[in-house]
């Protein structure tokens, strides 16, 4: 019923680029402008079972294709979170806008111009913005499944704002967003909305291992996202067990 299968394209994994993607991928600033609500997300009982019959398309991964896939990911996120909130008797306000940009400073968040090579959720304007050229380069090298992780993670920051969740340490906020991204993907795979191709789970796994903080970085440092193991553990906890595993209260 209105399910939308998203076709996957394969792509070789480039760990270094992935590291750049997510390390820079989240400014996480200004997480204090939300309207607190307290829904209790529903749980989804079925185990993960990525479809083995996914269609995989070959060929170029163009800017247009990227924008389409990103737009699909946003639409799925809106439906997903709307359903979760509705399940708790709450109304979900989708993130207001998703803004692709190409130039440094073209888009501002809270009066600060966004740099190139970045993707962020900006709570000041309630939007997600991403450098489209940089994202397309990542898309080509890393593979498009990771796009859903990236969007899922940034979208989760918008949901945290709506839920009034604000932890003392960046790392808590980030690991929870990883878990929520995992739940968003896992639940949509279970419902058949999203179809993963063979190798996509490995792509997530290897990608997450590549985006961990430097082992020398203190966990409590501003900007810490978690070690590779922590990020991977959080993502797959959400992927396998849904939102109940993410500590949304
Ligand atoms: Zn983040």
């Amino acid at each position: 019923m209105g399910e939308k299968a998203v076709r996957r394209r394969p792509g070789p994994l480039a760990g270094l680029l992935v590291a750049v993607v997510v390390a820079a991928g989240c400014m996480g600033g200004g997480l204090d402008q939300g309207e607190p609500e307290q829904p209790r997300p529903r749980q989804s009982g079925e185990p993960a079972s990525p479809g083995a019959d996914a269609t995989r398309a070959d060929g170029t991964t163009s800017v247009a294709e990227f924008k389409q896939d990103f737009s699909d990911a946003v639409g799925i996120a809106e439906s997903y979170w709307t359903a979760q909130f509705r399940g708790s008797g709450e109304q979900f306000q989708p993130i207001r806008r998703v803004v692709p940009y190409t130039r440094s400073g073209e888009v501002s968040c809270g009066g600060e111009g966004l740099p190139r090579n970045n993707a962020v959720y900006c709570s000041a304007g309630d939007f997600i913005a991403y450098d489209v050229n940089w994202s397309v380069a990542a898309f080509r090298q890393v593979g498009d499944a990771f796009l859903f992780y990236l969007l899922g993670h940034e979208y989760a920051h918008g949901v945290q704002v709506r839920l009034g969740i604000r932890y003392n340490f960046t790392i808590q906020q980030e690991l929870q967003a990883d878990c929520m991204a995992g739940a968003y993907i896992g639940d949509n795979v279970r419902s058949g909305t999203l179809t993963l191709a063979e190798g996509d789970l490995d792509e997530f796994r290897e990608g997450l291992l590549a985006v961990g903080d430097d082992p020398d970085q203190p966990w409590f440092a501003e900007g810490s996202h978690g070690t590779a193991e922590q990020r991977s553990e959080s993502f797959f906890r959400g992927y396998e067990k849904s939102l109940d595993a993410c500590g949304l209260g």
Side-chain angles (χ1 to χ4, degrees):
M1 303 195 315
E3 288 174 356
K4 180 169 193 177
V6 176
R7 293 187 300 175
R8 315 247 46 86
R9 277 177 293 278
L13 189 77
L16 189 60
L17 181 58
V18 183
V20 177
V21 170
V22 180
C26 192
M27 306 207 312
L31 283 168
D32 53 356
Q33 304 189 17
E35 296 168 20
E37 297 176 44
Q38 291 295 333
R40 280 189 192 77
R42 293 177 303 177
Q43 73 179 60
S44 173
E46 291 177 74
S49 56
D53 57 346
T55 307
R56 306 186 80 170
D58 294 321
T60 44
T61 50
S62 65
V63 168
E65 278 177 324
F66 180 86
K67 284 185 174 173
Q68 184 56 54
D69 277 16
F70 207 84
S71 167
D72 287 345
V74 171
I76 291 171
E78 286 180 3
S79 302
Y80 178 69
W81 288 108
T82 297
Q84 302 309 316
F85 275 60
R86 191 184 295 133
S88 321
E90 304 280 346
Q91 194 174 358
F92 179 69
Q93 197 67 45
I95 288 177
R96 206 160 58 82
R97 282 187 307 148
V98 175
V99 189
Y101 65 90
T102 56
R103 297 189 313 277
S104 177
E106 183 182 336
V107 178
S108 294
C109 173
E112 208 173 306
L114 297 178
R116 289 187 57 202
N117 306 329
N118 208 349
V120 303
Y121 167 71
C122 174
S123 63
D126 190 34
F127 64 86
I128 290 169
Y130 66 98
D131 176 341
V132 65
N133 294 323
W134 167 77
S135 302
V136 168
F139 178 71
R140 284 178 180 145
Q141 274 197 274
V142 179
D144 65 344
F146 210 68
L147 173 157
F148 284 85
Y149 164 73
L150 184 64
L151 182 275
H153 178 99
E154 299 305 338
Y155 211 97
H157 284 314
V159 174
Q160 287 173 325
V161 166
R162 284 157 172 74
L163 294 173
I165 293 172
R166 187 173 190 184
Y167 289 111
N168 290 331
F169 297 104
T170 309
I171 190 172
Q172 296 169 291
Q173 207 87 23
E174 296 300 333
L175 289 176
Q176 185 180 60
D178 283 341
C179 182
M180 293 162 77
Y184 148 72
I185 294 170
D187 285 344
N188 278 298
V189 167
R190 283 182 281 274
S191 71
T193 306
L194 191 60
T195 306
L196 295 189
E198 189 184 343
D200 280 349
L201 278 184
D202 288 335
E203 186 178 305
F204 289 128
R205 194 167 286 116
E206 293 172 39
L208 284 159
L209 288 179
V211 298
D213 290 336
D214 189 304
D216 294 335
Q217 175 159 343
W219 66 268
F220 49 83
E222 178 70 28
S224 284
H225 281 64
T227 63
E229 290 73 20
Q230 286 173 315
R231 299 203 70 174
S232 191
E233 191 277 329
S234 289
F235 174 83
F236 281 102
R237 183 156 33 84
Y239 182 89
E240 286 158 15
K241 298 179 180 167
S242 189
L243 291 172
D244 279 358
C246 300
L248 294 176

